[in-house]
Amino acid sequence: MGKDLYEQSPMAKELFEKANDILGFRITDLMFEGTEEDLRQTKVTQPAIFLHSVILAKTLGDGFKPNMTAGHSLGEFSALVTAGALSFEDGLKLVSQRAQAMQKACEMEPSTMAAIVGLDDQVVEEACKNIDAVVVPANYNCPGQLVISGSFEGIDQACEKLTELGAKRALKLSVGGAFHSPLMEPARAELAAAIENTAINTPVCPVYQNVSGRPFTNPAEIKENLIAQLTAPVKWTQTVQNMLADGANHFTEIGPGKVLTGLIKKINRQAECENISAFQG
């Protein structure tokens, strides 16, 4: 992941080496040569994705001037750096702290998530409310696809109930814990102080944040939303709908994979999308 960037762009190489210094270990060795098990380490996964996305965006140069930015969960930090609200260094430090705080929360209370396909959001929301265990909507990915998050008991009960209600799929996910749920409160509390002590600037363009799907440029509000993000659902469907309503006519996904491009097309088939996942030269 990102090896082409490191080898072909002097600026990218400099930023990767800076990241190694900030993190206190050579994440580049794991990104370029590591096993799948190496990359799945919490301290590696989130910083690696952040680095690939942000450094790739920076190599696009002055010609890359988005009118608005957004990111899904972890991607919100990349969106803030790309919009100039966060420095590269501060963004990486926060992402590293976020990953470690989430790992601790997962170890305190083992939990999980499940993808629910083929039901209206309101049906899923109502079912979660009526279950006597922790389970909440976590990722509003696109119409008909909502990820729920909670205790093992809550997820089991919800999957059974939602299958009865007609879900095409109720699939448990292979994740470390109940992200974007009340069970992440210890991580939210730990990360809040770090975010409060980090300088956030007025971005050069609006950043559409996960907690509401609406655009923000006020640094104080951006901080508040970032802190709330760990225990609040990711409103990606609403984010894309709001961006389209505000005039977005072309989406560029930067980073590993094409997941967001796929979700955007499911939200609006007419949306123009492109994906940049490797060094452009």
Side-chain angles (χ1 to χ4, degrees):
M1 180 193 287
K3 191 174 182 180
D4 60 325
L5 281 171
Y6 186 93
E7 292 177 342
Q8 297 176 51
S9 166
M11 179 182 69
K13 182 176 182 178
E14 184 181 335
L15 289 171
F16 273 122
E17 288 299 341
K18 185 178 283 188
N20 287 333
D21 291 340
I22 289 170
L23 294 172
F25 67 96
R26 291 195 61 79
I27 192 170
T28 48
D29 292 350
L30 300 174
M31 288 176 70
F32 305 160
E33 311 293 344
T35 64
E36 194 171 327
E37 189 177 339
D38 290 332
L39 289 170
R40 280 184 176 172
Q41 293 179 69
T42 302
K43 70 172 185 177
V44 176
T45 310
Q46 293 190 32
I49 293 170
F50 169 85
L51 288 171
H52 187 275
S53 303
V54 169
I55 294 175
L56 185 54
K58 286 185 177 293
T59 64
L60 297 176
D62 295 336
F64 179 65
K65 292 181 179 177
N67 298 112
M68 51 184 81
T69 67
H72 189 293
S73 191
L74 166 67
E76 185 163 286
F77 289 83
S78 304
L80 287 164
V81 173
T82 302
L86 264 177
S87 70
F88 170 80
E89 294 84 356
D90 285 342
L92 178 58
K93 288 173 188 174
L94 286 179
V95 164
S96 178
Q97 288 171 301
R98 178 183 189 264
Q100 291 175 54
M102 289 171 76
Q103 179 63 33
K104 284 186 211 166
C106 293
E107 289 168 358
M108 284 172 66
E109 189 156 358
S111 50
T112 192
M113 304 174 82
I116 310 301
V117 178
L119 287 176
D120 288 341
D121 291 347
Q122 294 82 357
V123 174
V124 180
E125 290 166 350
E126 197 60 34
C128 288
K129 281 180 189 173
N130 291 319
I131 287 169
D132 190 24
V134 178
V135 60
V136 295
N139 298 342
Y140 290 80
N141 285 337
C142 65
Q145 186 188 125
L146 205 167
V147 174
I148 59 174
S149 184
S151 65
F152 284 111
E153 182 187 359
I155 292 293
D156 285 341
Q157 289 182 33
C159 286
E160 185 177 343
K161 179 64 177 175
L162 292 164
T163 300
E164 289 172 8
L165 290 170
K168 291 179 183 174
R169 294 182 78 189
L171 178 68
K172 282 192 196 175
L173 302 178
S174 178
V175 293
F179 306 132
H180 301 287
S181 82
L183 297 179
M184 285 294 112
E185 175 56 30
R188 188 206 64 79
E190 183 175 332
L191 195 61
I195 290 172
E196 288 290 1
N197 292 322
T198 298
I200 291 187
N201 308 307
T202 302
V204 297
C205 64
V207 179
Y208 288 68
Q209 291 191 269
N210 291 174
V211 293
S212 68
R214 294 189 294 109
F216 292 89
T217 55
N218 180 289
E221 292 178 327
I222 288 171
K223 280 189 178 185
E224 191 177 312
N225 293 334
L226 263 189
I227 291 168
Q229 194 221 59
L230 277 179
T231 53
V234 174
K235 295 187 175 178
W236 187 250
T237 302
Q238 297 88 331
T239 294
V240 175
Q241 289 170 339
N242 288 337
M243 293 174 88
L244 287 163
D246 292 343
N249 54 25
H250 186 95
F251 292 84
T252 302
E253 179 179 3
I254 301 174
K258 299 181 180 180
V259 173
L260 298 186
T261 304
L263 294 179
I264 291 166
K265 294 298 279 186
K266 287 177 181 176
I267 294 166
N268 187 307
R269 288 183 185 176
Q270 278 71 50
E272 283 186 33
C273 300
E274 70 172 319
N275 178 272
I276 300 175
S277 57
F279 182 61
Q280 301 291 290

